Amino acid sequence: MTFQAPVLFKKCVDDAVKLYSAGSTEDTPLIAEWDDVEPAFKKALAALRIAAQIPDDIPSMSDEEKLHFMKMFQSFDRLFAQLKSFSRYDESMLDDYGITEQEYIDYAGHYLNIKSEIGPDPGPDPVNPPVELEIDSDYELMAYSNTRIDYEYIINLIQNIVNPEEDGDITHEEKQKKIDEAKQYVEDLRKDNPKVADIMSHLINEIELDESRFKGKSILNIVENMKHECIEQVVNNFCLLWHADKDDVMYAATHYRNGIIPNESAIKASINYPEYKNTVEHALPKFKYYAKFFAELRSTLDDEIKPLV
């Protein structure tokens, strides 16, 4: 087929490259240059920030503002995916651009929520007719984290081990094949998120030991609960070490974004420094204690909590 129709084959290859590198099969240049994509990416990010300065702003927006955000995010997502396709791209560059991968994921989550809310065809509103915006209702996110996609896929794999979709029983060999497949995906996930991979690996081992314990249960709920237990343990240990209030630190753990501790003043006010000083040998002076405390808290949030949230 390739040799009989070389022109058709070339068009198929060209379209595939366009689809997976730039997200379009329109008549645009096949290979974009970094010097063209990067400035466009920066402009798209600036436009996205105007539409929604931070992801947390989105839920309180009007319907019209949400649609505008969707439009801006689609443009940004296309360019972000294209930027990632260059070998010179490195995630550390995001610091200079003024966005983090986690923040992108947060934006993407709100985008998907809005898309789910409005449905494929929201229909006309006679009271508040929608503003005409060229939003691609069939658009699929292209730069969305492979980690999250893998996470959801692994959850479904494990769920299908304990509650097979097929009618009747499956053989031991078939079940072991599914388990081995799930284990392989977990190892792939480990490259990006070793903490979640550890939780999933532990769960799979428990299922191998006694599968009956998990029959009819939601694997997603089990994993999310295990993640929450890990977060609680980290917070407990931190608070015991530094004599901090658990509720305040837990709030910081679940609301920490972009290196900002939202309730820093509340945490500082509730810290029991006298107790720390009386119980810790070689206790730090008060002014050094606060500086060290918040440095350690940020490190803990970044390294121990963030991968689990």
Side-chain angles (χ1 to χ4, degrees), residues 148-285:
R148 176 150 306 189
I149 295 170
D150 289 344
Y151 175 80
E152 294 171 354
Y153 184 69
I154 295 168
I155 291 290
N156 288 333
L157 277 179
I158 301 173
Q159 188 71 66
N160 198 31
I161 292 169
V162 297
N163 295 104
E165 295 176 353
E166 299 92 343
D167 294 331
D169 295 329
I170 61 175
T171 66
H172 174 76
E173 289 75 15
E174 290 171 331
K175 184 167 293 183
Q176 190 60 50
K177 184 178 179 181
K178 289 184 176 183
I179 291 173
D180 292 341
E181 181 184 7
K183 285 181 176 179
Q184 183 57 58
Y185 274 101
V186 168
E187 290 311 304
D188 291 340
L189 176 65
R190 190 178 300 282
K191 300 169 188 174
D192 296 314
N193 196 324
K195 295 190 179 300
V196 172
D198 283 342
I199 288 173
M200 288 184 159
S201 181
H202 178 75
L203 176 59
I204 292 172
N205 290 337
E206 290 294 308
I207 290 171
E208 282 192 283
L209 290 173
D210 186 1
E211 178 191 328
S212 63
R213 292 168 49 203
F214 303 92
K215 285 287 186 183
K217 295 184 179 179
S218 167
I219 296 300
L220 176 61
N221 288 344
I222 291 172
V223 172
E224 289 297 318
N225 287 337
M226 292 172 72
K227 286 163 63 178
H228 184 71
E229 288 174 7
C230 290
I231 291 170
E232 282 217 333
Q233 187 61 56
V234 170
V235 169
N236 280 336
N237 292 342
F238 183 88
C239 291
L240 287 172
L241 178 64
W242 291 96
H243 298 269
D245 182 81
K246 179 185 173 182
D247 290 339
D248 287 338
V249 175
M250 182 60 77
Y251 182 88
T254 54
H255 293 81
Y256 181 68
R257 297 289 186 278
N258 304 321
I260 298 173
I261 300 171
N263 59 335
E264 187 168 334
S265 58
I267 292 174
K268 189 172 183 179
S270 64
I271 288 173
N272 194 335
Y273 176 75
E275 187 178 275
Y276 160 82
K277 186 177 180 181
N278 291 334
T279 57
V280 176
E281 189 177 2
H282 307 301
L284 295 168

Side-chain angles (χ1 to χ4, degrees), residues 48-98:
L48 176 63
R49 292 296 195 190
I50 293 172
Q53 181 63 37
I54 58 174
D56 287 346
D57 290 342
I58 298 168
S60 61
M61 288 179 174
S62 67
D63 290 346
E64 182 178 330
E65 288 170 333
K66 288 180 178 179
L67 290 173
H68 182 66
F69 157 72
M70 288 186 71
K71 172 64 177 175
M72 295 302 102
F73 188 70
Q74 285 183 356
S75 299
F76 172 77
D77 181 71
R78 286 190 183 97
L79 286 160
F80 193 18
Q82 196 169 359
L83 194 77
K84 285 182 172 183
S85 70
F86 288 95
S87 60
R88 64 188 291 183
Y89 170 79
D90 186 272
E91 191 172 325
S92 63
M93 295 176 176
L94 295 179
D95 290 337
D96 295 329
Y97 297 138

Side-chain angles (χ1 to χ4, degrees), residues 89-124:
Y89 170 79
D90 186 272
E91 191 172 325
S92 63
M93 295 176 176
L94 295 179
D95 290 337
D96 295 329
Y97 297 138
I99 189 172
T100 65
E101 186 72 27
Q102 181 59 50
E103 195 173 17
Y104 165 79
I105 291 173
D106 292 342
Y107 273 123
H110 287 294
Y111 171 88
L112 293 172
N113 287 341
I114 297 170
K115 187 176 180 181
S116 176
E117 288 171 8
I118 66 174
D121 183 14

Side-chain angles (χ1 to χ4, degrees), residues 130-144:
V131 176
E132 287 298 323
L133 290 172
E134 294 181 4
I135 297 174
D136 183 356
S137 60
D138 296 323
Y139 181 76
E140 297 292 336
L141 297 181
M142 300 188 65
Y144 199 34

